[in-house]
Amino acid sequence: MSIIAAIWLDRRLHIAMYFFLTSLAFLDIWFISSTVPKLLTILASNDRIISLPGCFLQFYFYVSLGTIEFYLLAVMSVDRYVAICHPLRYYSIISPKVCLWLVLVSWIFGFLTFIYPTVLLFGLSFCGPYKINHFFCDSSAVVAISCSDIKQFNVVFASFASAVILGSFILTLISYFNILITVLMIPSASGKIKAFSTCTSHFTVVSLVYGSAIFIYVRPVESSSPDLNKIVALLNSVLTPVLNPFIYSLRNKQVQQVFRDFEKRLALLK
C-alpha cells in the first residue's frame, strides 16, 4: 500500500513502469488475501471449516488472481524489453494509453479465463469425507474428495493452466533473452553490472512464480504428491507476493529517493 501511495502521489514516478508496479502491488494484496487469512484462522483458532460455496469462490479468486499475475509479469517483461532494447522508441510504443489497456486486458482476461473450469467444479458432486488435504481450496485437493467423474475437469483445468502459465512464460523468456543479448552488447562494465543486477533480481521472482506453478499445475495430476504440492504452493501463494515489493520496487533507487523525500517532509511537519 505504501508503494501504491508513493507512486500515485509523486509525479516523478508517473511513468509506465511504475504504473505496472502499482498494478502488481495492488494485485499482490488481493492474491495473498485469497489464501492467507483463512490459513491464519486455521493456525490461530484451529477452525478448519469452510463452506462449499466459500471453497469454490476461494478456488476461483486464487486461480484468477494468479492468472492476472502471469499476464502482468509477461507485460512487464515486454515493457523492460522495449525500454532496454528500443529506448528511443519507448515512449511512442508504451504510451500511457497502451499502458492502461495492457493492465485492463490483464485484469479482465484474468477474471474471465477460469470461469469455465470453475463452472465445471460447481457441477461436481461431493459425498464425503469432506476433508481437503491442503491449506486452501486448490483444484487437485478439492476434486480428490469428489465422487463424480473428474476426468473432464482435470483435462479442461490442465489445458487452461498450461496455456496461461507456459504461454506467458515463453513470452517472458523471449523478452529476457533479448534483454540479455542487449546487455552483453553494452560497452561499459558498470552499465553491464547495473543491468545484470536488475535483470537477475527480476528473473529470480519470475523463476519462483513460474517454477512453482509449473511444478503444481502443468505436471500430470497422477505424478504429484499432495504434501509436496502444499510446500510448493506456499512459495507461490505466500513467499512470492511478499518478495515482489522488495524485488520490483523497494530496491529501485528512484522509489527509495521518493520514500526518503517523504520522510524529510514528515520530519519538517513535526
Side-chain angles (χ1 to χ4, degrees):
M1 288 177 69
S2 63
I3 290 167
I4 293 169
I7 291 172
W8 279 101
L9 292 173
D10 197 292
R11 294 186 65 84
R12 287 172 292 179
L13 303 181
H14 289 186
I15 58 175
M17 181 180 76
Y18 294 108
F19 184 69
F20 292 133
L21 290 176
T22 301
S23 184
L24 183 66
F26 183 71
L27 170 69
D28 282 334
I29 292 170
W30 290 102
F31 183 55
I32 205 166
S33 299
S34 67
T35 57
V36 170
K38 184 61 182 175
L39 173 61
L40 294 177
T41 303
I42 292 169
L43 295 174
S45 64
N46 206 30
D47 177 14
R48 303 187 178 196
I49 297 171
I50 186 169
S51 66
L52 201 58
C55 187
F56 292 155
L57 283 173
Q58 187 187 55
F59 160 79
Y60 172 72
F61 280 109
Y62 175 77
V63 295
S64 296
L65 292 166
T67 300
I68 296 168
E69 179 149 12
F70 291 129
Y71 292 159
L72 280 179
L73 288 177
V75 165
M76 287 168 65
S77 70
V78 171
D79 172 69
R80 290 299 83 204
Y81 159 71
V82 176
I84 294 172
C85 301
H86 303 282
L88 298 178
R89 296 173 57 204
Y90 177 73
Y91 290 104
S92 61
I93 297 172
I94 310 293
S95 65
K97 188 176 179 180
V98 169
C99 182
L100 179 62
W101 272 107
L102 286 172
V103 170
L104 284 176
V105 167
S106 297
W107 279 84
I108 292 167
F109 276 89
F111 280 116
L112 291 177
T113 302
F114 279 91
I115 288 179
Y116 180 54
T118 306
V119 170
L120 290 179
L121 189 65
F122 264 99
L124 298 178
S125 299
F126 297 89
C127 314
Y130 302 104
K131 185 179 281 189
I132 298 172
N133 186 17
H134 217 299
F135 63 88
F136 72 100
C137 294
D138 200 10
S139 57
S140 58
V142 175
V143 297
I145 63 169
S146 172
C147 51
S148 301
D149 185 358
I150 60 172
K151 287 181 182 177
Q152 184 185 4
F153 173 82
N154 282 339
V155 170
V156 170
F157 181 80
S159 301
F160 277 61
S162 298
V164 169
I165 295 167
L166 296 179
S168 58
F169 179 63
I170 290 169
L171 181 59
T172 303
L173 210 59
I174 291 170
S175 298
Y176 276 109
F177 177 77
N178 281 288
I179 289 170
L180 179 64
I181 297 299
T182 304
V183 168
L184 290 173
M185 295 171 66
I186 296 174
S188 165
S190 60
K192 281 183 182 178
I193 292 168
K194 183 181 177 182
F196 269 123
S197 173
T198 304
C199 292
T200 302
S201 59
H202 287 195
F203 201 70
T204 301
V205 174
V206 168
S207 301
L208 273 174
V209 173
Y210 284 105
S212 57
I214 290 170
F215 182 85
I216 298 171
Y217 299 112
V218 178
R219 293 189 311 154
V221 177
E222 299 78 15
S223 65
S224 60
S225 163
D227 292 332
L228 191 57
N229 278 357
K230 282 186 281 187
I231 296 169
V232 178
L234 276 172
L235 291 176
N236 193 40
S237 61
V238 180
L239 184 62
T240 303
V242 170
L243 286 177
N244 278 345
F246 295 97
I247 298 296
Y248 284 106
S249 301
L250 298 178
R251 289 180 74 255
N252 185 292
K253 289 182 179 179
Q254 200 167 1
V255 173
Q256 289 175 4
Q257 185 59 50
V258 168
F259 278 115
R260 278 194 289 268
D261 291 345
F262 280 141
E263 191 178 352
K264 288 175 184 176
R265 287 177 200 169
L266 288 173
L268 289 171
L269 289 173
K270 291 177 183 178

